[in-house]
Amino acid sequence: MKILALIPARGGSKRLPGKNIRVLGGKPLIAWSIELASAIPAICATLVSTDDPSIAEVSRRAGALVPWLRPAALSTDTASSVDVVLHALDWYEAQHGSVDGVLLLQPTSPFRSCASVLRGIAAFEAGGGQSVVGVSPCQDHPMWSMRLEGAQLRPFMDGAGLGMRSQDLPPAYVVNGSFYLITPSRLRAERAFIGEATNALVIDSPQEALDIDTAWDWALAEAVLTQGDVTN
């Protein structure tokens, strides 16, 4: 199994400026994901796609491959993650040969564990190349969600969910952003990480599922470190 790990890290974060190289627990945020990938035997290379020279330098020092700065067309707010991945994947395979899978590791999920990544890769191998995506149990069940009709509340979903006890609700999961693994051929054909043949990597740990996007998320991450709840 030969897997390319890709870490996308654009420099223009608006809600938390400079977050990808901001220091968390004594090291830049992006270094958490780079160091994790380096510990996985199936990962042949860890490539960081960035448009920011500072992120590129920090990533290289952490051990990542940063062969170029991302083109401007792929560095806008509207650029899709699939286009970013395919740009990097095409370059890597042209230079270093084909890979069996491409693993998207968002740098904003610093607490994903090595054990979870290994479980995801094992599920990918067992599924014969189906895509595998990390999910976590919903904190707020969709059957209890509401919408507004004018000023009045209406159930967001049809059914009797509002009258059900929490323990009677069917399990519901949300994509947590920590793990996306797919074959290059499927990604090129479907241009999506999630399709009908996508398997779930269920991650129950709220620490591993934490996706840092705001100052509040950052405060939660620091609290997790203070409590010593991070495991690899």
Side-chain angles (χ1 to χ4, degrees), residues 62-76:
L65 172 66
V66 192
W68 28 254
L69 291 181
R70 189 191 303 177
L74 295 177
S75 302
T76 66

Side-chain angles (χ1 to χ4, degrees), residues 21-36:
I21 55 176
R22 188 173 178 176
V23 175
L24 176 69
K27 56 190 173 186
L29 179 63
I30 197 169
W32 288 80
S33 295
I34 295 171
E35 292 177 6
L36 172 71

